[in-house]
Amino acid sequence: MTKIDDAPSTTGGRPRVGLFVTCLVDLFRPGVGFAAVKLLEDAGCSVEVPEAQVCCGQPAYNSGDQGAARRIAKQVIEAFQGFDYVVGPSGSCMATVRKEYPAMFDGDVTWHARAVALAERSYELMSFLTDVMGMSAVTASFHGTATYHDSCSGLRTLGIKAQPRTLLATVEGLTLTELQDAETCCGFGGTFCVKYPEVSVRMVSDKVANIEMTAADTVLGGDLGCLMNIAGRLKRLGKPVRVYHAAEVLAGMAGPAGIGDPEKG
Amino acid sequence: MLVNGKDFSSRASKAPADAGLQQQVSNLKTGFVAARARAVAALPEYEAMRDAGAAIKDHTLANLDFYLERFERAVVDRGGHVHWAADAEEACRIVREICTRTGARTVTKGKSMVSEEIGLNEALEADGLDVVETDAGEYIVQLAKEAPSHIVMPTVHKTTNEISDLFFEHHRRHGFSERVTDAAELIAQVRSVMREKYFSADIGITGANFLVAETGSNIIVTNEGNGDLTCTLARVHIVTAGIEKVVPTLNDASVLLRLLARSALGIETTSYTTLSTGPRRPGDADGPEEYHVVLVDNGRTKMLSGAFRPMLRCIRCGACMNHCPVYLAVGGHTYASVYPGPMGAVLTPMIARHEAANELPHACTLNGRCQQVCPVKIPLPDLLRRLRHEQWEDGFIKGRSRWGLGVWSWLATRPALYRVATRLGVQVLRWLGRSRGRIGHLPLAGEWTAGRDLPAPQGTTFHAAWAKRKRQP
């Protein structure tokens, strides 16, 4: 393969990581972004946050507007030029970068090569920490019993299943318990949840019923979309189950307020 | 093609509240999903078999003209007839002409999705023919004047009580005056009623799971044996099949048969695998006097030449719908198509360019489970996304979806402006969430808040907080 201008160049032994801040993390749960920064720094990376990034373009791409998706993707490709790695706390967004970006530029030689170059060094946070940086334990504590929801894109496109569990098993005070139908979609599905609200609520209700069956007091996951959907339904039903992004727990930054909880109280 | 409704959304919105439907569909969720998983786990070469299955179909589709012509020659060599139908209307006309020419009055039918696709029963009934479905499930939906809700289990939406009522109402004229609710007794009634039909049938119509180019054979699989009797006892046997059903050899068919049974029902093989190859020969003990195969195109050639070709690999096992959380929430009838679920959401718009079908590609969360279980590895989510793209290009997607995304995409490519707008938006949401941490009702997001709270933002945006941290290290 031809070497292209924005290929990785590691300096000083510390990999330069560009943090991909997903739009939901940016808007609703910045704490997940800061937790990701801490985990990456603990793993020995130098972390930067390019300013010209906004969204991976998945809403447009999945809705059929490929023109807009390509414009957004080009912006991401340029924003992350020159980083050794691009890491984001979302299986869904990083699956878009890794799998869909190259597909989007099929037939456009220059951009396709750039998309492939970006895809090859882009990772979801937990797979990056374990598979690339070789991290096998964290120093964090969290007291409770948690169950883990496997988000669809991360699971099926990127093969993320063991990585978060490996790390979470080393969190002091945390007991993990498996969720029935952990691999079944929670009904979020991007715009699906607002296009078909009754169907989506039916699906998330099944998810919530399975969560209750585990008797866990906490739900963890790697994608904020699913977590907001699950938390939204739990809160609507008045359930006391807390919801966190796994990165918050792994970084020891899961404050008293889970997703959808009041910050004081 | 039976696309009989216009409004997927309104049907979908009612389905989750239908307790009977939910109960029936939950049997799929548990029973068949677990059975398939066991069958797959018990077969170490399953993944290799999937690859082989996909390769067989791809090779055949790439040389479809060659294999179809070979199939035709083999059928003709054995004294049968092959007819080519460009669309549903022509396919029905061909079958009707055979019925008229042979003076037929009664028709028995094995299960055939393509005959549902072309609306064959209605066409034959319009000619005054007595048409009876011989597959127990198909027979039940026929009595109920309904369409199948699943391609493998047509009556998955029906309760035993509903079936009991139907039989009580319709079987009195066959001498069954007592209501029965026991499954074995219900099946016994079907067998008894059906026996009369098999012997009086002038024409037996079956579908095809596979057509074998090498031998000119038609292969059907059943668990009731009704297919054998349908194609053996009538004077004339007509096969209706999509052109994509052909495979090169019997060996190829055996690979696909193993994939089919495991994926559909989680079993190693179906109870009956029936090969029919031409009419009765001199000296044969049984078999039809005439043998016809109607090869139906109906949009398939169009798919063959484009990006949707992988959809023609489909062997109609139904695994995608058994594993689709949307199908399992809404049931098959919500799709208002003979092909429901993920495979139907691709196939229906391709076959019936119909306004109603164009909503189907959106009724999907792109969770990818259908592709994961597909025995011939059809990239269903990619195909659904491609359909959405075509609809976007055609201007079919209108209203809030289009302008909402337009605004988002426009902002997303202007980071500085986006930061200002979102910081403002986050402040408003935070104020609405106030001390509760969540928002119970949000104007313009009623679809979200109808059944869920919206978690309130934590505070400011990440980018604003990050910029602040950089300024004050």
Side-chain angles (χ1 to χ4, degrees), chain A residues 139-158:
Chain A
T139 47
S141 66
F142 182 91
H143 294 281
T145 303
T147 192
Y148 195 89
H149 165 69
D150 293 287
S151 297
C152 300
S153 306
L155 176 74
R156 300 201 175 86
T157 312
L158 304 179

Side-chain angles (χ1 to χ4, degrees), chain A residues 51-224:
Chain A
E51 276 180 32
Q53 59 165 314
V54 168
C55 156
C56 68
Q58 193 182 156
Y61 188 62
N62 284 350
S63 299
D65 189 356
Q66 293 207 15
R70 267 186 224 112
R71 284 194 296 280
I72 296 170
K74 285 180 180 176
Q75 180 174 279
V76 173
I77 291 167
E78 298 206 309
F80 286 95
Q81 186 165 300
F83 285 99
D84 297 327
Y85 299 103
V86 179
V87 178
S90 159
S92 174
C93 308
M94 299 323 287
T96 299
V97 175
R98 281 187 70 110
K99 179 184 164 239
E100 310 302 344
Y101 277 19
M104 270 181 212
F105 296 105
D106 212 13
D108 179 337
V109 179
T110 312
W111 280 100
H112 184 261
R114 296 187 71 179
V116 169
L118 177 72
E120 284 173 348
R121 57 180 203 276
S122 296
Y123 292 88
E124 181 274 340
L125 175 65
M126 281 169 263
S127 76
F128 178 74
L129 293 172
T130 53
D131 302 339
V132 180
M133 299 305 292
M135 188 189 264
S136 58
V138 292
T139 47
S141 66
F142 182 91
H143 294 281
T145 303
T147 192
Y148 195 89
H149 165 69
D150 293 287
S151 297
C152 300
S153 306
L155 176 74
R156 300 201 175 86
T157 312
L158 304 179
I160 294 162
K161 176 90 186 172
Q163 299 92 329
R165 288 172 173 80
T166 302
L167 295 178
L168 286 166
T170 66
V171 173
E172 188 204 326
L174 179 69
T175 309
L176 272 179
T177 175
E178 283 299 324
L179 179 63
Q180 188 183 311
D181 292 337
E183 298 187 0
T184 301
C185 176
C186 71
F188 175 67
T191 55
F192 179 87
C193 63
V194 289
K195 273 193 191 150
Y196 300 103
E198 293 87 356
V199 184
S200 174
V201 168
R202 162 88 247 162
M203 288 160 72
V204 74
S205 300
D206 290 350
K207 184 59 68 181
V208 162
N210 283 322
I211 290 167
E212 284 199 282
M213 264 168 32
T214 65
D217 52 47
T218 304
V219 184
L220 302 175
D223 273 272
L224 207 46

Side-chain angles (χ1 to χ4, degrees), chain B residues 118-160:
Chain B
I118 61 177
L120 185 59
N121 285 14
E122 294 80 355
L124 296 179
E125 281 161 3
D127 285 353
L129 284 151
D130 175 23
V131 183
V132 61
E133 293 286 347
T134 61
D135 173 272
E138 290 283 337
Y139 174 68
I140 291 162
V141 289
Q142 189 185 27
L143 287 185
K145 298 196 185 340
E146 288 175 10
S149 66
H150 188 288
I151 61 171
V152 177
M153 290 152 277
T155 51
V156 71
H157 60 288
K158 283 210 135 4
T159 63
T160 310

